[in-house]
Amino acid sequence: VQLMESGGGLVQPGGSLRLSCAASGSIFSIDGMAWYRQAPGKQRELVALISNGGTTNYGDFVQDRFTISMVNTKNMVSLQMNTLIPEDTAVYYCNAWGIETNWKSFDSWGQGTQVTVSS
């Protein structure tokens, strides 16, 4: 299963960005999708995750600034990020897990997309 991210870039503090991730391949079902991020010199951390039932979980640092949503029929997940601050600068990675058509489980990662918050 392959994941393709889009939507990263440079934004000024206080601005917004929307990240999207599309999953493709031999997918039978997706159980959940998530966004992680990794800043230079820091460990990868969870930004947000959503189950196929719509249950969401966010990192403590999000503080209601970000919203994750999933379009099950299109195997896509989006992350709307508002009120961005310089500390949000990182590479953002998409993650998806579920079942392939051969009935094997998968846990796939995207290549990452750079988000830079700077004036």
Coordinates of all heavy atoms in Angstrom, one line a residue, residues 29-77:
S29 N -9.4 -2.9 3.2 CA -10.1 -1.9 4.2 C -9.0 -1.2 4.9 O -7.9 -1.7 5.1 CB -11.0 -2.7 5.2 OG -10.2 -3.5 6.0
I30 N -9.3 0.0 5.3 CA -8.4 0.9 6.1 C -9.1 1.0 7.5 O -10.2 1.4 7.6 CB -8.2 2.2 5.4 CG1 -7.4 2.1 4.2 CG2 -7.5 3.2 6.4 CD1 -7.1 3.4 3.5
D31 N -8.3 0.6 8.5 CA -8.8 0.7 9.8 C -8.6 2.1 10.4 O -9.3 2.5 11.4 CB -8.1 -0.3 10.7 CG -8.5 -1.7 10.3 OD1 -9.6 -1.9 9.8 OD2 -7.7 -2.6 10.5
G32 N -7.6 2.8 10.0 CA -7.3 4.1 10.5 C -6.2 4.8 9.7 O -5.4 4.1 9.0
M33 N -6.1 6.1 9.9 CA -5.1 6.9 9.2 C -4.6 8.0 10.2 O -5.4 8.4 11.1 CB -5.6 7.5 7.9 CG -6.0 6.5 6.9 SD -6.5 7.2 5.3 CE -4.9 7.5 4.5
A34 N -3.4 8.4 10.1 CA -2.8 9.3 11.0 C -1.8 10.2 10.4 O -1.3 9.9 9.3 CB -2.2 8.6 12.2
W35 N -1.5 11.3 11.1 CA -0.4 12.2 10.7 C 0.6 12.2 11.9 O 0.2 12.4 13.0 CB -0.9 13.6 10.4 CG -1.6 13.7 9.1 CD1 -3.0 13.6 9.0 CD2 -1.1 13.9 7.8 NE1 -3.3 13.8 7.6 CE2 -2.1 13.9 6.9 CE3 0.2 14.0 7.4 CZ2 -1.9 14.1 5.5 CZ3 0.4 14.2 6.0 CH2 -0.7 14.2 5.1
Y36 N 1.8 12.1 11.6 CA 2.9 12.3 12.5 C 3.8 13.4 12.0 O 3.7 13.8 10.8 CB 3.7 11.0 12.7 CG 3.1 9.9 13.4 CD1 2.1 9.1 12.8 CD2 3.4 9.6 14.7 CE1 1.4 8.1 13.6 CE2 2.8 8.6 15.5 CZ 1.8 7.8 14.9 OH 1.2 6.8 15.5
R37 N 4.7 13.9 12.9 CA 5.6 14.9 12.4 C 7.0 14.7 13.1 O 7.0 14.1 14.2 CB 5.1 16.3 12.7 CG 5.1 16.7 14.1 CD 4.5 18.1 14.3 NE 4.6 18.6 15.6 CZ 4.1 19.8 16.0 NH1 3.5 20.6 15.2 NH2 4.3 20.2 17.3
Q38 N 8.0 15.1 12.5 CA 9.4 15.0 13.0 C 10.1 16.3 12.7 O 10.3 16.6 11.5 CB 10.1 13.8 12.5 CG 11.4 13.5 13.2 CD 12.0 12.2 12.9 OE1 11.6 11.5 12.0 NE2 12.9 11.7 13.8
A39 N 10.5 17.0 13.8 CA 11.3 18.2 13.6 C 12.8 17.8 13.7 O 13.1 16.8 14.3 CB 10.9 19.2 14.7
P40 N 13.7 18.6 13.2 CA 15.1 18.3 13.3 C 15.6 18.1 14.7 O 15.3 18.9 15.6 CB 15.8 19.5 12.7 CG 14.8 20.1 11.7 CD 13.4 19.8 12.4
G41 N 16.2 17.0 15.0 CA 16.8 16.7 16.3 C 15.7 16.2 17.3 O 16.1 16.0 18.5
K42 N 14.5 16.0 16.8 CA 13.5 15.5 17.7 C 12.9 14.2 17.3 O 13.0 13.8 16.1 CB 12.3 16.6 17.8 CG 12.8 17.8 18.5 CD 11.6 18.8 18.7 CE 12.0 20.0 19.5 NZ 10.8 20.9 19.7
Q43 N 12.2 13.5 18.2 CA 11.6 12.2 17.8 C 10.3 12.5 17.0 O 9.7 13.5 17.2 CB 11.3 11.4 19.1 CG 12.5 10.9 19.8 CD 12.1 9.9 20.9 OE1 11.1 10.1 21.5 NE2 13.0 9.0 21.2
R44 N 9.9 11.5 16.3 CA 8.6 11.6 15.6 C 7.5 11.5 16.6 O 7.5 10.7 17.5 CB 8.5 10.4 14.6 CG 7.3 10.5 13.6 CD 7.3 9.4 12.6 NE 8.5 9.6 11.7 CZ 8.7 8.9 10.6 NH1 7.7 8.0 10.2 NH2 9.7 9.1 9.8
E45 N 6.5 12.4 16.4 CA 5.4 12.4 17.3 C 4.1 12.4 16.6 O 3.9 12.9 15.5 CB 5.5 13.7 18.2 CG 5.4 15.0 17.5 CD 5.6 16.2 18.4 OE1 5.6 16.1 19.6 OE2 5.7 17.3 17.9
L46 N 3.0 11.9 17.3 CA 1.7 11.9 16.8 C 1.1 13.3 16.7 O 1.1 14.0 17.7 CB 0.8 11.0 17.6 CG -0.7 10.9 17.2 CD1 -0.9 10.2 15.9 CD2 -1.5 10.3 18.3
V47 N 0.6 13.6 15.5 CA -0.2 14.9 15.4 C -1.7 14.6 15.6 O -2.3 15.2 16.4 CB 0.1 15.5 14.0 CG1 -0.7 16.8 13.9 CG2 1.6 15.8 13.8
A48 N -2.2 13.6 14.8 CA -3.6 13.3 14.9 C -3.8 12.0 14.2 O -3.1 11.6 13.3 CB -4.4 14.4 14.2
L49 N -4.8 11.3 14.7 CA -5.2 10.0 14.1 C -6.7 9.9 14.1 O -7.4 10.6 14.9 CB -4.6 8.8 14.8 CG -5.1 8.4 16.2 CD1 -6.4 7.6 16.2 CD2 -4.0 7.5 16.8
I50 N -7.2 9.1 13.1 CA -8.7 8.9 13.0 C -8.9 7.5 12.6 O -8.2 7.0 11.7 CB -9.3 9.9 11.9 CG1 -10.8 9.8 11.9 CG2 -8.6 9.8 10.6 CD1 -11.5 10.9 11.1
S51 N -9.9 6.9 13.2 CA -10.3 5.5 12.9 C -11.3 5.5 11.8 O -11.9 6.6 11.5 CB -10.9 4.8 14.1 OG -12.1 5.3 14.4
N52 N -11.6 4.4 11.2 CA -12.6 4.4 10.1 C -14.0 4.6 10.7 O -14.9 4.9 9.9 CB -12.5 3.1 9.3 CG -12.8 1.8 10.1 OD1 -13.1 2.0 11.3 ND2 -12.7 0.7 9.5
G53 N -14.1 4.5 12.0 CA -15.4 4.9 12.6 C -15.5 6.3 13.0 O -16.6 6.8 13.4
G54 N -14.4 7.1 12.7 CA -14.5 8.5 13.0 C -13.9 9.0 14.3 O -13.9 10.2 14.6
T55 N -13.5 8.0 15.1 CA -12.8 8.4 16.4 C -11.5 9.1 16.1 O -10.7 8.6 15.4 CB -12.6 7.2 17.3 OG1 -13.9 6.5 17.5 CG2 -12.0 7.6 18.6
T56 N -11.3 10.2 16.8 CA -10.1 11.0 16.6 C -9.3 11.1 17.9 O -9.8 11.0 19.0 CB -10.4 12.4 16.1 OG1 -11.2 13.1 17.0 CG2 -11.1 12.3 14.7
N57 N -8.0 11.4 17.7 CA -7.1 11.6 18.8 C -6.0 12.6 18.3 O -5.5 12.4 17.2 CB -6.4 10.3 19.3 CG -5.7 10.5 20.6 OD1 -6.0 11.3 21.4 ND2 -4.7 9.6 20.8
Y58 N -5.7 13.5 19.2 CA -4.7 14.6 18.8 C -3.6 14.7 19.8 O -3.8 14.4 21.0 CB -5.4 15.9 18.7 CG -6.5 16.1 17.6 CD1 -7.8 15.8 17.9 CD2 -6.1 16.5 16.4 CE1 -8.7 15.9 16.9 CE2 -7.0 16.6 15.4 CZ -8.3 16.3 15.6 OH -9.3 16.4 14.6
G59 N -2.4 15.1 19.3 CA -1.3 15.4 20.2 C -1.7 16.6 21.1 O -2.5 17.5 20.7
D60 N -1.2 16.6 22.3 CA -1.5 17.7 23.3 C -1.2 19.0 22.7 O -1.8 20.0 23.1 CB -0.7 17.4 24.6 CG -1.3 16.2 25.4 OD1 -2.4 15.8 25.1 OD2 -0.5 15.7 26.2
F61 N -0.2 19.1 21.9 CA 0.3 20.4 21.4 C -0.7 21.0 20.4 O -0.6 22.2 20.0 CB 1.7 20.3 20.8 CG 1.7 19.3 19.6 CD1 1.4 19.7 18.3 CD2 2.1 18.0 19.8 CE1 1.4 18.8 17.3 CE2 2.1 17.1 18.8 CZ 1.8 17.5 17.5
V62 N -1.6 20.2 19.9 CA -2.5 20.7 18.8 C -3.5 21.8 19.4 O -3.7 22.8 18.7 CB -3.3 19.5 18.3 CG1 -4.5 20.0 17.4 CG2 -2.4 18.6 17.5
Q63 N -4.0 21.5 20.6 CA -4.9 22.6 21.3 C -5.9 23.1 20.4 O -6.1 24.4 20.2 CB -4.0 23.7 21.8 CG -3.0 23.1 22.9 CD -2.1 24.2 23.4 OE1 -1.9 25.3 22.9 NE2 -1.5 23.9 24.6
D64 N -6.7 22.3 19.7 CA -7.8 22.6 18.9 C -7.5 23.4 17.6 O -8.3 24.0 17.0 CB -8.8 23.5 19.7 CG -9.4 22.6 20.8 OD1 -9.6 21.4 20.6 OD2 -9.7 23.2 21.9
R65 N -6.2 23.5 17.2 CA -5.8 24.2 16.0 C -5.9 23.4 14.8 O -6.0 23.9 13.7 CB -4.3 24.7 16.2 CG -4.1 25.6 17.4 CD -2.7 26.1 17.5 NE -1.8 24.9 17.7 CZ -0.7 24.7 17.0 NH1 -0.4 25.5 16.0 NH2 0.1 23.6 17.3
F66 N -5.8 22.0 14.9 CA -5.8 21.1 13.8 C -7.1 20.3 13.8 O -7.6 19.9 14.8 CB -4.6 20.2 13.8 CG -3.3 20.9 13.8 CD1 -2.1 20.2 14.0 CD2 -3.1 22.3 13.6 CE1 -0.9 20.7 14.0 CE2 -1.9 22.9 13.6 CZ -0.8 22.1 13.8
T67 N -7.5 19.9 12.5 CA -8.6 19.0 12.4 C -8.3 17.9 11.4 O -7.9 18.2 10.3 CB -9.9 19.7 11.9 OG1 -10.2 20.8 12.9 CG2 -11.1 18.8 11.8
I68 N -8.4 16.6 11.8 CA -8.2 15.5 10.9 C -9.5 15.0 10.4 O -10.5 14.9 11.1 CB -7.4 14.4 11.6 CG1 -6.9 13.3 10.6 CG2 -8.2 13.8 12.7 CD1 -5.9 12.3 11.1
S69 N -9.6 14.6 9.1 CA -10.8 14.1 8.6 C -10.4 13.0 7.5 O -9.3 13.1 6.9 CB -11.6 15.1 7.9 OG -10.9 15.8 6.9
M70 N -11.3 12.0 7.4 CA -11.0 10.9 6.5 C -12.2 10.7 5.6 O -13.3 10.7 6.0 CB -10.7 9.6 7.3 CG -10.3 8.5 6.4 SD -9.4 7.1 7.3 CE -10.8 6.5 8.3
V71 N -11.9 10.5 4.3 CA -12.9 10.1 3.3 C -12.7 8.6 3.0 O -11.8 8.3 2.2 CB -12.8 11.0 2.0 CG1 -13.9 10.6 1.0 CG2 -12.8 12.4 2.3
N72 N -13.5 7.8 3.7 CA -13.3 6.4 3.6 C -13.4 5.8 2.1 O -12.6 5.0 1.7 CB -14.3 5.6 4.4 CG -14.2 6.0 5.9 OD1 -14.3 7.1 6.3 ND2 -13.8 5.0 6.7
T73 N -14.3 6.3 1.4 CA -14.6 5.8 0.0 C -13.4 6.2 -0.9 O -13.3 5.5 -1.9 CB -15.9 6.4 -0.5 OG1 -15.8 7.8 -0.5 CG2 -17.1 5.9 0.3
K74 N -12.6 7.2 -0.5 CA -11.5 7.6 -1.4 C -10.2 7.2 -0.8 O -9.2 7.6 -1.3 CB -11.6 9.1 -1.7 CG -12.8 9.5 -2.5 CD -12.8 11.0 -2.8 CE -14.0 11.4 -3.7 NZ -13.9 12.8 -4.1
N75 N -10.2 6.5 0.4 CA -8.9 6.2 1.1 C -8.0 7.4 1.2 O -6.8 7.4 0.9 CB -8.2 5.1 0.3 CG -9.0 3.8 0.3 OD1 -9.7 3.5 1.2 ND2 -8.8 3.0 -0.7
M76 N -8.6 8.5 1.7 CA -7.9 9.7 1.8 C -8.1 10.3 3.2 O -9.1 10.1 3.9 CB -8.4 10.8 0.8 CG -8.0 10.5 -0.6 SD -8.6 11.8 -1.7 CE -7.7 13.2 -1.1
V77 N -7.0 11.0 3.7 CA -7.1 11.7 5.0 C -6.5 13.1 4.8 O -5.6 13.3 4.0 CB -6.3 10.9 6.1 CG1 -4.8 10.9 5.8 CG2 -6.6 11.5 7.4

